[in-house]
Amino acid sequence: MKSSSIKFRPSDRPQQQRHQLREWYEQCRQGTLAVFEQVNEEIFCAQAHPDFSPVGWHFGHIAYTESLWLRERSAGLAPLFPEHRRLFMADGLPKCDRVKLPGKAVIRHYLDTVRQEVLQILETIDLEQHERLWRWMLQHESQHCETIAFLLQLSGSRERFGAGSREKRVGGVEGVGEAGEENTNYQLPITNYQNQTLEIPAGYFEQGNNTIDALDNERPAHQVYLNTYWIDRYPVTCAEYRLFMKAGGYHNPVWWSENGWQWLQQEQIDRPLYWLEDPQYDNHPVCGVSWYEAEAYAKFADKRLPTEAEWEKAASWDVLNSLRHTYPWGEIEPNLDRCNHNYAIAQTTPVNAHPNGRSAYGCEDMLGNVWEWTACVFDGYAGFASYPYTGYSQVYFDGQHQVLKGGSWATRPWALRTSFRNWYHPGVRQILAGFRCAKD
């Protein structure tokens, strides 16, 4: 899998550019269809949670959005399948009404027909003007595929995609790779580890991203000064989080903020959503926790959640060379040797399973595996400019969403980089999220 940050020489850029985009689009769609084919009609149309659309809606929305931006807005063509338009628009129908979907065969035809035309447009479109949009669309599909991954867990379709099937996959792991093929060669390491808190010395670093792949909320790159702080080498593991649970963490308001405690009383929970009480997952990152749960554990551990800038500096900054890396390990494209991503394993792995993915400061498991909550509220950087439309990021600068960093086991490589920003309400725990701690 080639990185979407690949650079071309000016002399060979035009043809290489089209060839590379076609290759990425085909690779991404192969992974999308591999998941599509394994979802039955019942789960396809069911709403697994009231806050999320059905799995099948996301497939249709991928086709609709691709047609809207790459055919209609970019190439000036008339809409395809106008009968689907209101159903698959992001703001067309309430989520509860999106269960009234056409069959899988209809949506597959929608996906295939739009894609066939889009690849024809790619042969002649002026990429000097439109390349950023085409790269944005690739990430859009990637993000919806990740949403599908956790919806399948919520729906109970866990034989291949969720925590409920981990017992079947330890040793010979089953998952969907970049071309939709099963990966049965990766062996989960059974190793002990000790979490350490690493010192990040005071100084400036470059936060954000100005490359053509960067989404609007990642721009512009800017200098940030941080005082010395300490951050955990690894995300918080199930073994560590179990200490919080056994100490009565879910029943003691001393660890919770006022809003967090109110949320807990409403939810009436006593463990993470994807919790498995099995010691073989002790070294895996805790997964399926809300921001409130992460905040409470951090206080219990006499630490705190890192700010977004602290997380990003620890992940991306190479202080010796005074430069920002796209990935913690440098500029080599993501692969399974460096991080758990792209459905390759379709579950979490131990936090110390990818030492070749460590950052310059020594932090590990910062891309893939689980998203990591940060202390920061989602907002635009100074100089923010919305793209390709205001509703993509700016509408969420409402003071009610927390930033997550790093990606998960379901994150496609096109949406995997240290500058990438995810955001959710602090009470959401359906996503594939964990956290690591920091302290002053």
Side-chain angles (χ1 to χ4, degrees):
M1 177 70 65
K2 297 295 183 183
S3 163
S4 60
S5 61
I6 191 169
K7 306 296 190 298
F8 302 112
R9 297 189 303 271
S11 60
D12 62 11
R13 180 176 173 85
Q15 271 314 107
Q16 289 278 9
Q17 186 182 24
R18 295 185 199 280
H19 174 78
Q20 186 65 87
L21 280 169
R22 175 182 283 271
E23 183 178 296
W24 287 333
Y25 269 68
E26 290 174 347
Q27 288 173 344
C28 186
R29 183 54 55 87
Q30 285 172 348
T32 302
L33 294 179
V35 178
F36 180 95
E37 293 301 329
Q38 294 169 41
V39 181
N40 64 41
E41 289 276 3
E42 180 182 359
I43 290 173
F44 193 81
C45 297
Q47 190 178 19
H49 188 279
D51 291 342
F52 298 96
S53 302
V55 167
W57 181 88
H58 288 275
F59 289 113
H61 178 70
I62 288 170
Y64 163 76
T65 308
E66 188 170 295
S67 181
L68 174 67
W69 287 99
L70 300 187
R71 293 183 63 265
E72 299 173 38
R73 301 283 177 87
S74 183
L77 300 177
L80 275 177
F81 305 106
E83 67 273 20
H84 297 328
R85 198 173 188 86
R86 184 162 181 257
L87 172 59
F88 292 119
M89 292 170 61
D91 55 357
L93 292 173
K95 291 182 173 66
C96 59
D97 291 339
R98 295 174 181 177
V99 297
K100 302 168 186 176
L101 294 168
K104 283 186 67 179
V106 173
I107 294 182
R108 175 61 190 268
H109 178 64
Y110 191 16
L111 283 162
D112 291 346
T113 304
V114 170
R115 176 52 60 88
Q116 183 178 9
E117 288 201 16
V118 161
L119 291 181
Q120 290 174 352
I121 292 168
L122 178 59
E123 296 304 312
T124 57
I125 195 74
D126 179 6
L127 287 178
E128 185 78 20
Q129 178 182 354
H130 295 287
E131 182 182 4
R132 184 183 178 191
L133 181 64
W134 282 72
R135 289 179 180 242
W136 175 85
M137 188 59 60
L138 192 64
Q139 296 180 69
H140 176 268
E141 179 167 339
S142 300
Q143 290 172 279
H144 279 276
C145 285
E146 179 156 358
T147 301
I148 289 166
F150 69 73
L151 290 176
L152 290 173
Q153 293 208 25
L154 292 174
S155 71
S157 178
R158 303 182 179 186
E159 288 74 13
R160 293 181 58 86
F161 297 102
S165 62
R166 288 178 180 174
E167 292 81 356
K168 301 179 183 180
R169 292 199 295 265
V170 173
V173 185
E174 194 175 272
V176 178
E178 64 186 39
E181 297 178 354
E182 291 185 5
N183 177 351
T184 56
N185 297 320
Y186 186 78
Q187 302 294 311
L188 293 182
I190 302 174
T191 55
N192 293 319
Y193 85 106
Q194 184 174 0
N195 210 343
Q196 300 171 289
T197 304
L198 305 176
E199 181 180 358
I200 312 296
Y204 283 94
F205 85 105
E206 185 179 77
Q207 182 177 18
N209 191 339
N210 288 333
T211 70
I212 195 169
D213 297 300
L215 302 180
D216 60 2
N217 59 71
E218 295 173 72
R219 299 170 178 234
H222 53 284
Q223 292 290 311
V224 175
Y225 180 87
L226 296 176
N227 292 322
T228 298
Y229 64 98
W230 283 258
I231 192 168
D232 288 352
R233 180 185 294 273
Y234 303 106
V236 171
T237 64
C238 293
E240 291 172 312
Y241 198 85
R242 187 183 289 110
L243 298 176
F244 172 68
M245 294 166 63
K246 287 187 173 181
Y250 280 91
H251 307 285
N252 190 343
V254 71
W255 309 122
W256 299 77
S257 64
E258 181 178 351
N259 288 339
W261 186 249
Q262 291 177 355
W263 171 86
L264 183 61
Q265 303 317 297
Q266 294 171 353
E267 296 296 319
Q268 290 295 300
I269 58 171
D270 62 1
R271 67 194 62 200
L273 181 59
Y274 302 125
W275 183 261
L276 284 177
E277 190 55 65
D278 188 329
Q280 70 177 317
Y281 304 112
D282 279 0
N283 288 358
H284 289 236
V286 66
C287 183
V289 292
S290 68
W291 184 85
Y292 292 129
E293 290 167 280
E295 179 192 41
Y297 173 90
K299 186 175 181 181
F300 167 81
D302 197 25
K303 297 181 182 179
R304 58 175 174 79
L305 294 179
T307 66
E308 180 182 4
E310 288 172 340
W311 189 100
E312 193 167 330
K313 180 178 181 180
S316 67
W317 190 242
D318 183 344
V319 67
L320 294 178
N321 296 297
S322 296
L323 57 83
R324 174 183 56 82
H325 289 307
T326 304
Y327 313 108
W329 54 86
E331 298 305 314
I332 298 173
E333 61 268 16
N335 57 48
L336 196 54
D337 182 53
R338 291 181 169 84
C339 63
N340 175 17
H341 70 296
N342 201 27
Y343 279 73
I345 298 172
Q347 68 163 74
T348 59
T349 50
V351 296
N352 60 340
H354 300 91
N356 290 332
R358 69 170 57 95
S359 73
Y361 285 114
C363 291
E364 297 189 30
D365 214 29
M366 297 199 85
L367 286 193
N369 223 6
V370 293
W371 287 98
E372 298 183 24
W373 289 106
T374 73
C376 290
V377 173
F378 185 54
D379 202 353
Y381 298 144
F384 169 85
S386 61
Y387 181 89
Y389 60 99
T390 303
Y392 182 70
S393 295
Q394 192 168 350
V395 70
Y396 300 101
F397 299 162
D398 56 5
Q400 299 180 36
H401 293 76
Q402 298 294 141
V403 175
L404 300 101
K405 301 287 287 184
S408 77
W409 57 257
T411 305
R412 304 293 191 194
W414 303 280
L416 197 70
R417 53 185 174 269
T418 55
S419 61
F420 194 95
R421 309 172 76 197
N422 198 357
W423 64 92
Y424 274 97
H425 283 287
V428 172
R429 64 195 203 116
Q430 291 76 25
I431 56 178
L432 305 171
F435 60 100
R436 75 179 68 215
C437 294
K439 63 180 181 179
D440 298 318

